[in-house]
């Protein structure tokens, strides 16, 4: 745990800045991946049109799943900004930082695990022929 004097150390502020930038990168990556997933349905439809097969069930989840990932990325960036401002305020007030697991990190990990599981189940049930 940091003392009040340690909370004024510039390294603490710089470490918080790096953490904030890592969350921003994570949010941007989620948004980019969401876009790719949403457009993957278009790619599948193009493949199916070349083979003259039914496209009804090939891209059923790609647009909603991709849109969901984009929304998660936006939420990550907003929540990371809020957490960053709160943490900097605590440091400026001289309060020692609280050592606890990041609720944002846990929530993002669980939501992405659920999304990955849903995609795996969907792809397992809808084999492209």
């Amino acid at each position: 745990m940091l003392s009040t004097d340690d909370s004024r150390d510039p390294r603490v502020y710089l470490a918080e800045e790096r953490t904030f930038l890592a969350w921003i990168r994570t949010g941007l990556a989620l948004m980019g991946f969401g876009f790719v997933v949403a457009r993957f349905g278009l790619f599948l439809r193009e493949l199916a049109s070349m083979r003259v097969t039914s496209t009804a069930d090939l891209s059923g989840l790609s647009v909603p799943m991709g849109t969901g990932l984009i929304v998660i990325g936006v939420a990550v960036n907003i929540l990371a900004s809020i957490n960053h401002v709160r943490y900097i305020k605590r440091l400026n007030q001289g309060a020692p930082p609280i050592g606890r697991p990041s609720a944002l990190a846990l929530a993002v990990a669980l939501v992405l695990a659920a999304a990955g599981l849903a995609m795996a189940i969907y792809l397992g049930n809808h084999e492209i022929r």
Side-chain angles (χ1 to χ4, degrees):
M1 182 86 87
L2 297 175
S3 70
T4 304
D5 294 331
D6 289 339
S7 69
R8 296 283 186 212
D9 187 352
R11 292 176 293 182
V12 175
Y13 287 93
L14 294 174
E16 173 55 26
E17 194 74 20
R18 285 190 303 274
T19 302
F20 176 58
L21 292 174
W23 276 112
I24 295 299
R25 277 193 312 274
T26 301
L28 288 172
L30 284 167
M31 288 185 274
F33 184 59
F35 182 80
V36 168
V37 168
R39 292 295 149 218
F40 187 67
L42 178 63
F43 173 70
L44 289 178
R45 282 194 294 275
E46 289 296 321
L47 276 178
S49 70
M50 292 170 65
R51 292 192 216 160
V52 190
T53 61
S54 171
T55 62
D57 63 343
L58 288 179
S59 62
L61 277 182
S62 65
V63 172
M65 191 69 81
T67 303
L69 287 169
I70 291 170
V71 169
I72 291 169
V74 170
V76 164
N77 283 340
I78 291 169
L79 292 172
S81 299
I82 292 168
N83 284 340
H84 178 70
V85 169
R86 284 184 187 162
Y87 192 85
I88 294 298
K89 278 184 183 177
R90 284 186 53 81
L91 286 176
N92 286 338
Q93 293 170 351
I98 299 170
R100 61 179 168 76
S102 170
L104 177 60
L106 293 173
V108 169
L110 292 174
V111 167
L112 291 178
L117 184 61
M119 284 191 274
I121 290 170
Y122 176 77
L123 291 174
N125 290 334
H126 294 84
E127 193 175 306
I128 300 172
R129 297 177 189 150

